[in-house]
Amino acid sequence: MESSGNAVRPVPWNKGKIVGQKARRTKEALARAATRRGARNSRKRAVGADRDALAERSLPQNPGMRANLRAESSAGAYDGIRLTLQHLSKGRSMVNRFAPIALACAMAGFVPAVGAQQQTAAGAQKFLAMLAKDGALYLQALDKTSGAMTVEGTKTYTNRWLKNGVPQDDGPYGGGGTDPATARLKNPLSVISVANVDPRAQTNDCATRIETTTQEKPGETEVKDGTASKETFFGYDELPYRVTKTSKFEDPAVKYAGPYYIVWGKTVTSRGTNVIAANVQDPRFNAHLLFVSNNPEMLDRVEYAMKFLIASCDKTASTGF
């Protein structure tokens, strides 16, 4: 029994057992709390180690650049990267997922960037000059009347009777004759050089002078045997003869000699399946500068360079229309 003042209360028969259980539970709770605190501290240390290792691996491999970044760390630059990782590393999985992206963005300001080449009309001219040097540019100069690249010449026929297979001094059909002839070129002219020079021989990034050549030489000699009627002592006999056909034409390299000029502010371009063409201003021919390729990426680059020159050299562009 317990007494409190004058009141008397009975003591529970299991009071000691209850008190012992409460003490044991309290002790176990304290032990679990200590275990959780230890686990949290271990995770924090592991995350910090992972973060430092990730930041170290993300440094450039170049020793000089690594030294520069570490030097910047004293001024707070590299610490900024670490703070970025700390902000993202609330959980280890989040660090592994997002830290490389954040680190790349943060380090972009510290790694020396190679400046991109500024696009200019002079640069586009240099690009075309390199293509010409590599033999990648051609020029098509169509005659305004025929719509083709042609050269004029003659075709001569020489007919000789054959005696025992040997040509004689005379022949049928008056011994032959000469007729005018026209030959069509099979290929466009090869561009050997381009330069930023205008028709007044002044340096001008808005004009291109084009020099061309061709190795094509139309003309041939053809020999053919046949028979023809010839009057003899006994009447007309079919006798063998030989005809030699000789074609001669003007030199295409002379007829189509340049220079040709493109004034970019006054020209237009067009594109086919595997060709880019720019109109060439020429009083003699309907001429076009051609780039031919099966590479769509190179076609895109050449087309962009030509259109860049047109846009850069358009005098009306400054009006906004």
Side-chain angles (χ1 to χ4, degrees), residues 6 14 24 51 93 99 108 118 138 188 208 223 233 239 241 260:
N6 296 325
N14 60 347
R24 185 170 58 255
R51 182 177 62 246
S93 61
Q118 184 179 4
Y138 302 90
T208 298
V223 178
F233 179 79
L239 300 178
Y241 81 100
Y260 296 85

Side-chain angles (χ1 to χ4, degrees), residues 57-72:
R57 290 196 302 272
S58 300
L59 284 172
Q61 296 303 312
N62 183 286
M65 294 179 66
R66 294 172 69 94
N68 291 339
L69 279 178
R70 290 196 179 95
E72 290 178 356

Side-chain angles (χ1 to χ4, degrees), residues 47 87-96:
V47 170
H87 177 72
L88 291 173
S89 59
K90 294 180 180 180
R92 188 170 183 177
S93 61
M94 187 174 293
V95 171
N96 294 335

